[in-house]
Amino acid sequence: MIDFTGPVAVLSDVHGNLEALDAVLTDIRNTGVLDIVNLGDCVGYGPNPCECIDLLQASCRINLRGNHDYATLYRSDNFNPAAQAAILFVRQQLQPADNADAARRRWLFLQQLLPMYENADFEFMHGSPRRPITEYILPSDPLCDPFKIDDIFAAMGHRYAFVGHTHYAGVIEEHQESFVRPDELQGKYRLTEKRAIINVGSVGQPRDSDRRAAYVVIHRHQVEWRRVPYKVADTVAKIEAQNLLDDQLARRLLVGQ
Ligand SMILES: [Fe+2]
Protein backbone atom coordinates (compact mmCIF):
# COMPACT_ATOMS: atom_id res chain seq x y z
CA MET A 1 0.00 0.00 0.00
CA ILE A 2 1.22 3.47 -0.83
CA ASP A 3 1.33 5.97 2.03
CA PHE A 4 -0.13 9.23 0.72
CA THR A 5 0.87 11.23 3.77
CA GLY A 6 4.25 11.73 2.04
CA PRO A 7 4.83 13.03 -1.49
CA VAL A 8 4.00 10.53 -4.26
CA ALA A 9 4.94 11.00 -7.92
CA VAL A 10 2.57 10.00 -10.72
CA LEU A 11 3.90 9.68 -14.26
CA SER A 12 2.47 8.39 -17.52
CA ASP A 13 3.09 7.84 -21.22
CA VAL A 14 6.85 7.30 -21.15
CA HIS A 15 6.60 5.73 -24.62
CA GLY A 16 10.10 4.36 -24.77
CA ASN A 17 11.74 7.77 -24.33
CA LEU A 18 14.74 6.96 -22.14
CA GLU A 19 16.20 10.48 -22.04
CA ALA A 20 12.90 11.92 -20.79
CA LEU A 21 12.42 9.13 -18.23
CA ASP A 22 15.98 9.52 -16.93
CA ALA A 23 15.46 13.27 -16.48
CA VAL A 24 12.15 12.76 -14.66
CA LEU A 25 13.54 10.09 -12.33
CA THR A 26 16.45 12.42 -11.47
CA ASP A 27 13.98 15.22 -10.75
CA ILE A 28 11.88 12.85 -8.60
CA ARG A 29 14.94 11.86 -6.57
CA ASN A 30 15.50 15.55 -5.77
CA THR A 31 11.94 16.15 -4.52
CA GLY A 32 11.83 13.71 -1.60
CA VAL A 33 9.20 11.52 -3.23
CA LEU A 34 8.68 8.16 -1.51
CA ASP A 35 6.73 6.23 -4.15
CA ILE A 36 6.02 6.43 -7.87
CA VAL A 37 2.86 5.38 -9.71
CA ASN A 38 3.16 4.78 -13.47
CA LEU A 39 -0.10 5.11 -15.42
CA GLY A 40 1.09 3.15 -18.44
CA ASP A 41 2.14 3.38 -22.08
CA CYS A 42 5.67 2.40 -21.12
CA VAL A 43 6.32 1.53 -24.78
CA GLY A 44 5.29 2.61 -28.28
CA TYR A 45 6.61 5.53 -30.41
CA GLY A 46 10.02 5.79 -28.72
CA PRO A 47 13.38 4.12 -29.40
CA ASN A 48 14.17 2.51 -25.99
CA PRO A 49 11.27 0.27 -24.87
CA CYS A 50 13.48 -2.30 -23.09
CA GLU A 51 15.45 0.25 -21.11
CA CYS A 52 12.27 2.10 -20.11
CA ILE A 53 10.57 -1.12 -18.97
CA ASP A 54 13.63 -1.96 -16.86
CA LEU A 55 13.73 1.48 -15.25
CA LEU A 56 9.99 1.62 -14.59
CA GLN A 57 10.00 -1.87 -13.11
CA ALA A 58 12.86 -0.92 -10.81
CA SER A 59 11.57 2.54 -9.86
CA CYS A 60 7.77 2.43 -9.60
CA ARG A 61 5.75 0.91 -6.79
CA ILE A 62 2.70 0.59 -9.08
CA ASN A 63 2.78 0.04 -12.86
CA LEU A 64 -0.51 0.24 -14.76
CA ARG A 65 -1.44 -0.79 -18.29
CA GLY A 66 -1.79 1.63 -21.19
CA ASN A 67 -3.26 0.97 -24.61
CA HIS A 68 0.21 0.71 -26.22
CA ASP A 69 1.30 -1.84 -23.61
CA TYR A 70 -1.87 -3.79 -24.41
CA ALA A 71 -1.31 -3.45 -28.17
CA THR A 72 2.23 -4.81 -27.85
CA LEU A 73 0.87 -7.96 -26.23
CA TYR A 74 -2.31 -8.49 -28.21
CA ARG A 75 -3.39 -6.36 -31.18
CA SER A 76 -2.73 -2.93 -32.66
CA ASP A 77 -5.06 -2.97 -35.68
CA ASN A 78 -7.00 0.06 -34.38
CA PHE A 79 -3.80 2.17 -34.38
CA ASN A 80 -2.69 4.55 -37.15
CA PRO A 81 0.10 3.24 -39.45
CA ALA A 82 2.95 5.01 -37.61
CA ALA A 83 1.76 3.73 -34.22
CA GLN A 84 1.30 0.20 -35.64
CA ALA A 85 4.82 0.20 -37.07
CA ALA A 86 6.12 1.42 -33.72
CA ILE A 87 4.42 -1.54 -32.01
CA LEU A 88 6.20 -3.89 -34.44
CA PHE A 89 9.45 -2.17 -33.45
CA VAL A 90 8.68 -2.75 -29.75
CA ARG A 91 7.96 -6.44 -30.37
CA GLN A 92 11.26 -6.78 -32.23
CA GLN A 93 13.14 -5.12 -29.39
CA LEU A 94 11.44 -7.39 -26.86
CA GLN A 95 12.38 -10.58 -28.71
CA PRO A 96 14.73 -12.82 -26.77
CA ALA A 97 18.10 -12.03 -28.37
CA ASP A 98 21.28 -12.51 -26.37
CA ASN A 99 19.49 -12.37 -23.02
CA ALA A 100 16.45 -14.65 -22.88
CA ASP A 101 15.92 -14.09 -19.15
CA ALA A 102 15.67 -10.32 -19.57
CA ALA A 103 13.30 -10.80 -22.51
CA ARG A 104 11.06 -13.11 -20.48
CA ARG A 105 11.02 -10.68 -17.58
CA ARG A 106 10.02 -7.77 -19.84
CA TRP A 107 7.16 -9.70 -21.49
CA LEU A 108 5.98 -10.79 -18.04
CA PHE A 109 6.13 -7.17 -16.85
CA LEU A 110 3.80 -6.13 -19.70
CA GLN A 111 1.47 -9.06 -19.01
CA GLN A 112 1.21 -8.26 -15.31
CA LEU A 113 0.42 -4.53 -15.64
CA LEU A 114 -2.78 -3.73 -13.73
CA PRO A 115 -5.73 -1.84 -15.29
CA MET A 116 -6.13 0.42 -12.25
CA TYR A 117 -5.04 1.09 -8.69
CA GLU A 118 -7.05 2.61 -5.86
CA ASN A 119 -6.06 3.77 -2.42
CA ALA A 120 -7.56 6.22 0.10
CA ASP A 121 -9.19 9.11 -1.80
CA PHE A 122 -7.42 8.32 -5.06
CA GLU A 123 -7.83 6.11 -8.11
CA PHE A 124 -5.31 5.76 -10.91
CA MET A 125 -5.64 4.52 -14.47
CA HIS A 126 -4.32 5.22 -17.97
CA GLY A 127 -7.52 6.35 -19.72
CA SER A 128 -10.63 7.02 -17.66
CA PRO A 129 -12.52 5.65 -14.64
CA ARG A 130 -15.13 4.30 -17.08
CA ARG A 131 -12.74 2.54 -19.46
CA PRO A 132 -9.38 2.44 -17.70
CA ILE A 133 -7.16 1.48 -20.62
CA THR A 134 -8.71 3.01 -23.73
CA GLU A 135 -11.01 5.98 -23.14
CA TYR A 136 -9.69 9.49 -23.86
CA ILE A 137 -10.84 12.36 -21.66
CA LEU A 138 -10.17 15.24 -24.01
CA PRO A 139 -9.57 18.86 -22.97
CA SER A 140 -12.60 19.80 -25.09
CA ASP A 141 -14.94 17.28 -23.42
CA PRO A 142 -16.18 19.35 -20.45
CA LEU A 143 -17.51 21.99 -22.85
CA CYS A 144 -18.35 19.91 -25.92
CA ASP A 145 -19.47 16.63 -24.37
CA PRO A 146 -20.56 17.36 -20.77
CA PHE A 147 -22.77 14.24 -20.55
CA LYS A 148 -19.71 12.11 -21.23
CA ILE A 149 -17.90 13.83 -18.36
CA ASP A 150 -20.95 13.39 -16.08
CA ASP A 151 -20.99 9.65 -16.88
CA ILE A 152 -17.27 9.37 -16.20
CA PHE A 153 -17.63 11.10 -12.82
CA ALA A 154 -20.52 8.72 -12.06
CA ALA A 155 -18.17 5.78 -12.76
CA MET A 156 -15.51 7.24 -10.42
CA GLY A 157 -15.33 5.46 -7.09
CA HIS A 158 -13.11 7.99 -5.32
CA ARG A 159 -12.77 11.73 -4.90
CA TYR A 160 -9.82 12.12 -7.26
CA ALA A 161 -8.85 10.20 -10.39
CA PHE A 162 -5.40 10.47 -11.98
CA VAL A 163 -5.16 9.72 -15.70
CA GLY A 164 -2.81 10.11 -18.67
CA HIS A 165 -3.44 8.86 -22.26
CA THR A 166 -4.16 12.20 -23.99
CA HIS A 167 -0.69 13.58 -23.15
CA TYR A 168 -2.33 16.88 -22.04
CA ALA A 169 -1.75 17.93 -18.44
CA GLY A 170 -4.71 19.55 -16.67
CA VAL A 171 -7.68 19.13 -14.36
CA ILE A 172 -11.46 18.78 -14.71
CA GLU A 173 -13.63 19.40 -11.66
CA GLU A 174 -17.06 17.82 -11.36
CA HIS A 175 -19.89 20.05 -12.67
CA GLN A 176 -17.42 22.50 -14.25
CA GLU A 177 -17.47 23.01 -18.01
CA SER A 178 -13.75 23.55 -18.36
CA PHE A 179 -10.43 21.78 -18.60
CA VAL A 180 -7.95 23.87 -16.63
CA ARG A 181 -4.29 23.78 -17.67
CA PRO A 182 -1.50 23.81 -15.07
CA ASP A 183 -0.20 27.21 -16.22
CA GLU A 184 -3.61 28.69 -15.33
CA LEU A 185 -3.03 27.42 -11.77
CA GLN A 186 0.68 28.35 -11.42
CA GLY A 187 1.36 24.61 -11.73
CA LYS A 188 -0.49 23.63 -8.56
CA TYR A 189 -3.99 22.29 -7.91
CA ARG A 190 -5.34 22.43 -4.38
CA LEU A 191 -7.12 19.26 -3.25
CA THR A 192 -10.43 20.26 -1.65
CA GLU A 193 -13.69 18.41 -1.15
CA LYS A 194 -14.43 18.86 -4.90
CA ARG A 195 -14.16 15.72 -7.01
CA ALA A 196 -11.67 16.05 -9.84
CA ILE A 197 -9.97 14.22 -12.70
CA ILE A 198 -6.31 15.15 -12.95
CA ASN A 199 -4.28 14.48 -16.08
CA VAL A 200 -0.59 14.15 -15.23
CA GLY A 201 0.62 14.80 -18.79
CA SER A 202 3.23 12.71 -20.61
CA VAL A 203 6.86 12.00 -19.82
CA GLY A 204 7.92 10.83 -23.26
CA GLN A 205 5.69 12.61 -25.78
CA PRO A 206 4.01 15.79 -24.45
CA ARG A 207 1.36 17.23 -26.80
CA ASP A 208 0.55 20.52 -25.07
CA SER A 209 3.14 22.56 -27.02
CA ASP A 210 5.69 22.27 -24.20
CA ARG A 211 8.32 19.71 -25.12
CA ARG A 212 9.57 19.24 -21.55
CA ALA A 213 8.66 15.96 -19.85
CA ALA A 214 5.60 16.23 -17.58
CA TYR A 215 4.57 14.47 -14.37
CA VAL A 216 2.95 15.31 -11.03
CA VAL A 217 3.76 15.07 -7.35
CA ILE A 218 0.83 14.52 -4.96
CA HIS A 219 1.43 16.39 -1.72
CA ARG A 220 -0.83 16.25 1.29
CA HIS A 221 -3.22 18.96 0.09
CA GLN A 222 -2.19 19.72 -3.45
CA VAL A 223 -1.04 18.32 -6.76
CA GLU A 224 2.06 19.88 -8.31
CA TRP A 225 2.72 19.53 -12.05
CA ARG A 226 6.42 19.48 -12.83
CA ARG A 227 8.10 20.02 -16.22
CA VAL A 228 11.59 18.70 -16.82
CA PRO A 229 13.84 19.52 -19.80
CA TYR A 230 15.72 16.59 -21.31
CA LYS A 231 18.04 15.89 -24.24
CA VAL A 232 15.36 15.83 -26.95
CA ALA A 233 17.97 15.88 -29.73
CA ASP A 234 19.35 12.53 -28.56
CA THR A 235 15.90 10.89 -28.64
CA VAL A 236 15.18 12.45 -32.04
CA ALA A 237 18.43 11.06 -33.50
CA LYS A 238 17.62 7.57 -32.23
CA ILE A 239 14.12 7.62 -33.73
CA GLU A 240 15.46 8.84 -37.08
CA ALA A 241 17.95 5.95 -37.11
CA GLN A 242 15.19 3.30 -36.88
CA ASN A 243 13.34 2.32 -40.07
CA LEU A 244 10.20 1.21 -38.25
CA LEU A 245 9.88 4.52 -36.38
CA ASP A 246 8.30 7.27 -38.50
CA ASP A 247 10.35 10.50 -38.60
CA GLN A 248 7.18 12.37 -37.65
CA LEU A 249 7.50 10.74 -34.20
CA ALA A 250 10.84 12.54 -33.86
CA ARG A 251 9.65 15.91 -35.19
CA ARG A 252 6.69 16.07 -32.80
CA LEU A 253 9.02 15.73 -29.80
CA LEU A 254 10.81 18.93 -30.83
CA VAL A 255 7.62 20.98 -30.64
CA GLY A 256 5.71 19.08 -27.96
CA GLN A 257 2.84 18.10 -30.22
FE1 LIG B 1 0.13 7.38 -24.73
Side-chain angles (χ1 to χ4, degrees), residues 12-13 15 40-41 45 67-68 126 136 165-167 202 205 207:
S12 189
D13 295 278
H15 283 293
D41 275 6
Y45 300 139
N67 55 317
H68 287 252
H126 186 68
Y136 291 91
H165 197 29
T166 61
H167 304 202
S202 167
Q205 195 193 76
R207 296 177 188 164

Coordinates of all heavy atoms in Angstrom, one line a residue, residues 12-13 15 40-41 45 67-68 126 136 165-167 202 205 207, ligand 1:
S12 N 3.2 9.2 -16.5 CA 2.5 8.4 -17.5 C 3.1 8.6 -18.9 O 3.9 9.5 -19.1 CB 1.0 8.9 -17.6 OG 0.2 8.0 -18.4
D13 N 2.8 7.7 -19.8 CA 3.1 7.8 -21.2 C 4.6 8.1 -21.5 O 5.0 9.1 -22.1 CB 2.2 8.9 -21.8 CG 0.7 8.5 -21.8 OD1 0.3 7.8 -22.7 OD2 0.0 8.9 -20.9
H15 N 6.5 6.0 -23.2 CA 6.6 5.7 -24.6 C 8.0 5.5 -25.1 O 8.4 6.0 -26.1 CB 5.9 6.8 -25.5 CG 4.4 6.7 -25.5 ND1 3.8 5.7 -26.1 CD2 3.5 7.5 -25.0 CE1 2.5 5.8 -25.9 NE2 2.2 6.9 -25.3
G40 N 1.1 4.0 -17.2 CA 1.1 3.1 -18.4 C 1.5 3.8 -19.7 O 1.8 5.0 -19.8
D41 N 1.5 3.0 -20.8 CA 2.1 3.4 -22.1 C 3.6 3.5 -21.8 O 4.3 4.6 -22.2 CB 1.5 4.6 -22.8 CG 0.3 4.2 -23.6 OD1 -0.1 3.1 -23.6 OD2 -0.2 5.1 -24.3
Y45 N 6.1 4.3 -29.9 CA 6.6 5.5 -30.4 C 8.1 5.7 -30.2 O 8.8 6.2 -31.1 CB 5.9 6.8 -29.8 CG 4.4 6.9 -30.0 CD1 3.6 7.3 -29.0 CD2 3.9 6.6 -31.2 CE1 2.2 7.4 -29.2 CE2 2.5 6.7 -31.4 CZ 1.7 7.1 -30.4 OH 0.3 7.2 -30.6
N67 N -2.8 1.6 -23.4 CA -3.3 1.0 -24.6 C -2.1 0.5 -25.5 O -2.2 -0.5 -26.2 CB -4.2 1.9 -25.4 CG -3.6 3.2 -25.7 OD1 -3.0 3.9 -24.9 ND2 -3.8 3.7 -26.9
H68 N -0.9 1.2 -25.4 CA 0.2 0.7 -26.2 C 0.9 -0.5 -25.6 O 1.4 -1.4 -26.3 CB 1.2 1.8 -26.4 CG 0.8 2.9 -27.3 ND1 1.3 3.1 -28.6 CD2 -0.2 3.8 -27.2 CE1 0.7 4.1 -29.2 NE2 -0.2 4.5 -28.4
H126 N -4.9 4.6 -16.8 CA -4.3 5.2 -18.0 C -5.3 6.2 -18.6 O -5.0 7.3 -18.9 CB -3.9 4.1 -19.0 CG -3.2 4.7 -20.2 ND1 -1.9 5.3 -20.1 CD2 -3.5 4.8 -21.5 CE1 -1.5 5.7 -21.3 NE2 -2.5 5.4 -22.1
Y136 N -10.3 8.2 -23.9 CA -9.7 9.5 -23.9 C -10.6 10.5 -23.2 O -11.8 10.6 -23.6 CB -9.4 10.0 -25.3 CG -8.3 9.3 -26.0 CD1 -8.6 8.2 -26.8 CD2 -7.0 9.6 -25.9 CE1 -7.6 7.5 -27.5 CE2 -6.0 9.0 -26.5 CZ -6.3 7.9 -27.3 OH -5.3 7.2 -28.0
H165 N -2.8 9.3 -21.0 CA -3.4 8.9 -22.3 C -3.5 9.9 -23.3 O -3.2 9.7 -24.5 CB -4.8 8.3 -22.0 CG -5.4 7.4 -23.1 ND1 -4.6 6.7 -24.0 CD2 -6.7 7.1 -23.4 CE1 -5.4 6.1 -24.8 NE2 -6.7 6.3 -24.5
T166 N -4.1 11.2 -23.0 CA -4.2 12.2 -24.0 C -2.8 13.0 -24.1 O -2.7 13.7 -25.1 CB -5.2 13.2 -23.6 OG1 -4.8 13.9 -22.4 CG2 -6.6 12.6 -23.5
H167 N -2.0 12.9 -23.2 CA -0.7 13.6 -23.1 C -0.9 15.1 -22.9 O 0.0 15.9 -23.3 CB 0.1 13.3 -24.4 CG 0.4 11.9 -24.7 ND1 1.5 11.5 -25.5 CD2 -0.2 10.7 -24.3 CE1 1.5 10.2 -25.6 NE2 0.5 9.7 -24.9
S202 N 2.4 13.8 -20.1 CA 3.2 12.7 -20.6 C 4.7 13.0 -20.4 O 5.2 14.1 -20.6 CB 3.0 12.6 -22.1 OG 3.9 11.7 -22.7
Q205 N 6.2 12.0 -24.6 CA 5.7 12.6 -25.8 C 4.6 13.6 -25.4 O 3.4 13.5 -25.8 CB 5.1 11.5 -26.7 CG 4.9 12.0 -28.1 CD 4.0 11.1 -28.9 OE1 2.8 11.0 -28.7 NE2 4.6 10.3 -29.8
R207 N 2.1 16.7 -25.6 CA 1.4 17.2 -26.8 C 0.7 18.6 -26.5 O -0.2 19.0 -27.2 CB 0.3 16.2 -27.3 CG 0.9 14.9 -27.7 CD -0.2 13.9 -28.1 NE 0.4 12.6 -28.4 CZ -0.3 11.5 -28.5 NH1 -1.6 11.5 -28.3 NH2 0.3 10.3 -28.7
Ligands
FE1 FE 0.1 7.4 -24.7

